[in-house]
Amino acid sequence: MTLLFAPPTVSVPIAGAAERFPVRRVYCVGRNYVDHVREMREGDERDDPFFFQKPADAVIGDGTGVPYPPRTVDFQFEGELVVALGADGVDVPVTQALELVFGYAAGIDLTRRDRQRDCRERQISWEAGKAFDFSAPCGPITPSESAGDLAMAELRLAVNGEVRQHTPLSLMIWNVAEIIAHLSTDYRLRAGDLIYTGTPAGVDALAPGDVVRAEVSGLAPLSVTIVENGSHHDAK
Ligand code: MN
């Protein structure tokens, strides 16, 4: 069988390795830090986690220019820990969930906040606010055996050198094992899946020229630059 054309494989570098990590799906956790739930004034802190997806080809790497997206005036950063799965699983018990993890990365869940709020008010899907082109910057993936103890790690996001988000990962409402276990009851998890694990308080708007840097202690950092909107047609 011959394909009419070959779709590109999206991949992310692996820190310290020649191979790249091929991306299959991108899952995101909706609310996973109490301080962010409070700043958004939505939901209940004890709600079950909920998930949404971004298209795999929304993933972009460290050092990339991110075109300011069309049809928004409130384009926001959300610094997040990203979990990269290296094995498959369905209905995975919490106690075995970390066995699926290949490694971790610093990521940014870029959000058209005005579009997201509009979707919520109209009670329609969040898609326009979350699942757009270039919306999933992901740093190099650090294999879990090299990542150290993430329970002790901290997440930081800085814009133009100024720290805007800072939290211990221990403040996640649902930890990585619990997220994987929950998600695996809804979907067949597969090697190549990325999971953005939610953002803490401090989310805010970006403008062209801004340099956004996300860091998780023990992991390779991620830095992207917001560039003018006009380039979104052909940038990469
Ligand atoms: Mn998020």
Side-chain angles (χ1 to χ4, degrees), residues 28 36 57 63 95 98 141 148 177 181 184 195 230:
C28 304
H36 178 61
D57 71 355
T95 52
L98 294 182
I141 295 169
S184 76
I195 307 170

Side-chain angles (χ1 to χ4, degrees), residues 33 37 48 60 84 100 106 121 129 139 141 155 160 165 179 186 199:
Y33 291 87
V37 174
D48 273 356
I60 55 172
L100 269 60
E121 279 160 20
I141 295 169
L155 166 71
N160 303 325
Q165 294 185 285
I179 289 167
D186 268 340
T199 200

Side-chain angles (χ1 to χ4, degrees), residues 96-170:
Q96 292 165 29
L98 294 182
E99 295 170 18
L100 269 60
V101 177
F102 170 77
Y104 300 93
I108 308 170
D109 166 15
L110 290 172
T111 301
R112 291 191 280 211
R113 190 73 68 200
D114 44 0
R115 303 293 297 280
Q116 180 194 26
R117 290 188 193 284
D118 178 62
C119 291
R120 203 166 56 218
E121 279 160 20
R122 295 161 60 198
Q123 299 190 322
I124 59 175
S125 152
W126 272 14
E127 193 107 355
K130 289 290 194 179
F132 52 94
D133 292 316
F134 309 101
S135 63
C138 182
I141 295 169
T142 301
S144 35
E145 60 270 21
S146 313
D149 183 3
L150 282 180
M152 305 295 290
E154 298 190 343
L155 166 71
R156 269 188 190 75
L157 182 136
V159 179
N160 303 325
E162 183 187 339
V163 176
R164 307 291 294 276
Q165 294 185 285
H166 180 201
T167 186
L169 294 181
S170 59

Side-chain angles (χ1 to χ4, degrees), residues 8-236:
T9 300
V10 176
S11 64
V12 179
I14 298 169
E19 299 88 359
R20 293 174 67 92
F21 182 91
V23 177
R24 188 190 80 120
R25 288 187 185 173
V26 178
Y27 295 102
C28 304
V29 182
R31 303 175 190 116
N32 206 24
Y33 291 87
V34 167
D35 58 357
H36 178 61
V37 174
R38 289 176 183 166
E39 76 176 346
M40 296 294 287
R41 295 189 186 84
E42 63 177 33
D44 188 293
E45 293 155 21
R46 293 159 299 177
D47 285 348
D48 273 356
F50 78 95
F51 302 97
F52 58 92
Q53 292 184 52
K54 293 177 185 256
D57 71 355
V59 172
I60 55 172
D62 179 49
T64 309
V66 177
Y68 194 98
R71 302 188 60 201
T72 183
V73 292
D74 193 9
F75 180 43
Q76 296 200 352
F77 58 82
E78 296 190 355
E80 309 200 0
L81 171 74
V82 179
V83 181
L85 300 188
D88 304 349
V90 174
D91 293 333
V92 183
V94 172
T95 52
Q96 292 165 29
L98 294 182
E99 295 170 18
L100 269 60
V101 177
F102 170 77
Y104 300 93
I108 308 170
D109 166 15
L110 290 172
T111 301
R112 291 191 280 211
R113 190 73 68 200
D114 44 0
R115 303 293 297 280
Q116 180 194 26
R117 290 188 193 284
D118 178 62
C119 291
R120 203 166 56 218
E121 279 160 20
R122 295 161 60 198
Q123 299 190 322
I124 59 175
S125 152
W126 272 14
E127 193 107 355
K130 289 290 194 179
F132 52 94
D133 292 316
F134 309 101
S135 63
C138 182
I141 295 169
T142 301
S144 35
E145 60 270 21
S146 313
D149 183 3
L150 282 180
M152 305 295 290
E154 298 190 343
L155 166 71
R156 269 188 190 75
L157 182 136
V159 179
N160 303 325
E162 183 187 339
V163 176
R164 307 291 294 276
Q165 294 185 285
H166 180 201
T167 186
L169 294 181
S170 59
L171 291 185
M172 290 197 294
I173 297 170
W174 303 94
N175 68 29
V176 171
E178 291 167 333
I179 289 167
I180 292 170
H182 264 281
L183 194 54
S184 76
T185 65
D186 268 340
Y187 303 97
R188 303 184 309 165
L189 299 181
R190 291 289 180 263
D193 291 345
L194 298 180
I195 307 170
Y196 285 62
T197 57
T199 200
V203 301
D204 205 353
L206 292 165
D210 284 344
V211 177
V212 191
R213 183 180 171 92
E215 287 182 359
V216 175
S217 26
L219 308 183
L222 163 69
S223 185
V224 296
T225 303
I226 311 305
V227 300
E228 289 291 344
N229 175 296
S231 45
H232 85 94
H233 295 290
D234 53 11
K236 191 75 185 184

